[in-house]
Amino acid sequence: MPKPESFPIEKIFVPTKQKKAIKPEIVGEIAESILEIGQQAPISVWRDGDRLVLVEGLHRLEACKALGETTILGVLVSAELAQHKPQLAERPEVEAERIKMARLKQLRLEKEAADTSAAALKGAGATQAPRTSPAKGVRDNPKASAGRTAKSTPKSLSDWITQQKSSGGRY
């Protein structure tokens, strides 16, 4: 296989028939992947005079354009090979790339969900209204000291365990 090289994006011509196959959601996923791990698979182009014609890699090309890149990794193939390009379904590396992209998307969604729930828990703890009724077991004794009647809320798990041990509670 030819060695990948860097090609200027503005010199790559995309045939009209290929332009109709653009799927924006795939372009977005590939752009996110390129931001996270870089471009893994080069596009294929063939030389037609002073311009390059795209053979394969439309979504990767569009993702790089969307990211503002001026160059893209690609391999130069012969015109004969471009006419007889294999179908995408027959290429196992394309399927592997698709699986990898789906896994990256899943990991990103899981991380965002975890961050959202952590932020919600943190926000809920800060916005809880203070109790208006006395704590359980506290009598209406105006002479009782405040330190003995109200328990402080623990700041960490180890503080909570220590508090439970000192008060005889089970944890």
Side-chain angles (χ1 to χ4, degrees):
M1 181 169 192
K3 186 177 179 181
E5 54 185 288
S6 185
F7 293 107
I9 290 177
E10 74 271 356
K11 292 203 180 240
I12 300 174
F13 171 75
V14 180
T16 306
K17 189 175 181 180
Q18 282 185 331
K19 283 183 183 178
K20 293 178 183 178
I22 294 176
K23 295 181 181 167
E25 62 277 0
I26 294 175
V27 172
E29 288 175 13
I30 292 174
E32 287 177 16
S33 173
I34 290 173
L35 281 175
E36 290 177 19
I37 60 175
Q39 183 185 349
Q40 299 296 308
I43 64 169
S44 299
V45 293
W46 64 277
R47 192 167 300 280
D48 181 28
D50 62 341
R51 72 177 181 175
L52 300 165
V53 179
L54 182 70
V55 175
E56 189 175 355
L58 174 66
H59 291 101
R60 283 170 275 168
L61 178 68
E62 293 300 318
C64 284
K65 282 182 184 178
L67 293 172
E69 296 289 330
T70 56
T71 60
I72 187 168
L73 276 177
V75 292
L76 195 59
V77 296
S78 65
E80 295 82 34
L81 184 62
Q83 297 301 324
H84 302 292
K85 69 178 182 176
Q87 293 297 319
L88 290 179
E90 297 172 8
R91 297 189 50 207
E93 62 268 11
V94 172
E95 186 60 26
E97 179 76 12
R98 194 170 288 134
I99 291 169
K100 182 170 62 173
M101 294 292 293
R103 180 69 182 137
L104 284 172
K105 182 178 181 182
Q106 182 66 29
L107 288 172
R108 181 182 49 81
L109 291 174
E110 288 172 2
K111 183 181 181 304
E112 286 176 1
D115 291 346
T116 303
S117 64
L121 286 174
K122 192 175 192 178
T127 60
Q128 270 186 335
R131 285 183 154 181
T132 55
S133 62
K136 183 178 178 184
V138 176
R139 298 179 186 206
D140 293 332
N141 183 355
K143 294 181 183 178
S145 67
R148 298 187 76 193
T149 58
K151 287 187 177 181
S152 64
T153 56
K155 301 219 182 313
S156 67
L157 179 60
S158 61
D159 290 344
W160 181 81
I161 291 172
T162 305
Q163 186 182 44
Q164 291 296 315
K165 283 181 180 177
S166 66
S167 66
R170 296 183 76 186
Y171 61 93

